[in-house]
Amino acid sequence: MIRLIKHEKVPGTGSFEVRFADSRRSVYFYFDELPSRRLRQQMVRNEALDWAKMFARIMSGIIGGWSEGKGPPQPESDQ
């Protein structure tokens, strides 16, 4: 299972966290609505949310495929 969590301590600035149910590390998509506060190139809220949703859908499909026995390709053995 994958969860999408919004973090916004300061209004207009924050991140969307893509959190995995297993031991995988979370992935964060940062946003900042006020250009005067940006320390680096960051997305606005809608862009960050779109990227986070797309990433979560892709990872969900990959993880779901693995659980159905369609895991990552195994290296060929030389026999």
Side-chain angles (χ1 to χ4, degrees):
M1 181 171 161
I2 297 175
R3 294 178 57 201
L4 186 60
I5 302 166
K6 178 182 170 187
H7 300 282
E8 189 174 8
K9 297 283 184 186
V10 177
T13 302
S15 64
F16 291 100
E17 176 185 3
V18 179
R19 184 179 291 175
F20 301 95
D22 56 10
S23 61
R24 288 181 180 90
R25 287 186 179 182
S26 294
V27 177
Y28 295 86
F29 295 87
Y30 298 94
F31 65 88
D32 196 340
E33 296 290 334
L34 300 174
S36 62
R37 281 198 311 223
R38 292 183 190 156
L39 298 176
R40 59 189 161 149
Q41 177 93 22
Q42 287 184 328
M43 299 177 263
V44 294
R45 183 187 332 258
N46 290 340
E47 290 173 323
L49 180 58
D50 290 344
W51 278 100
K53 285 180 178 178
M54 181 176 58
F55 179 77
R57 279 191 212 108
I58 290 169
M59 291 305 295
S60 180
I62 291 172
I63 293 168
W66 289 349
S67 66
E68 295 170 5
K70 303 174 190 170
Q74 301 298 319
E76 296 179 19
S77 60
D78 296 327
Q79 292 181 355

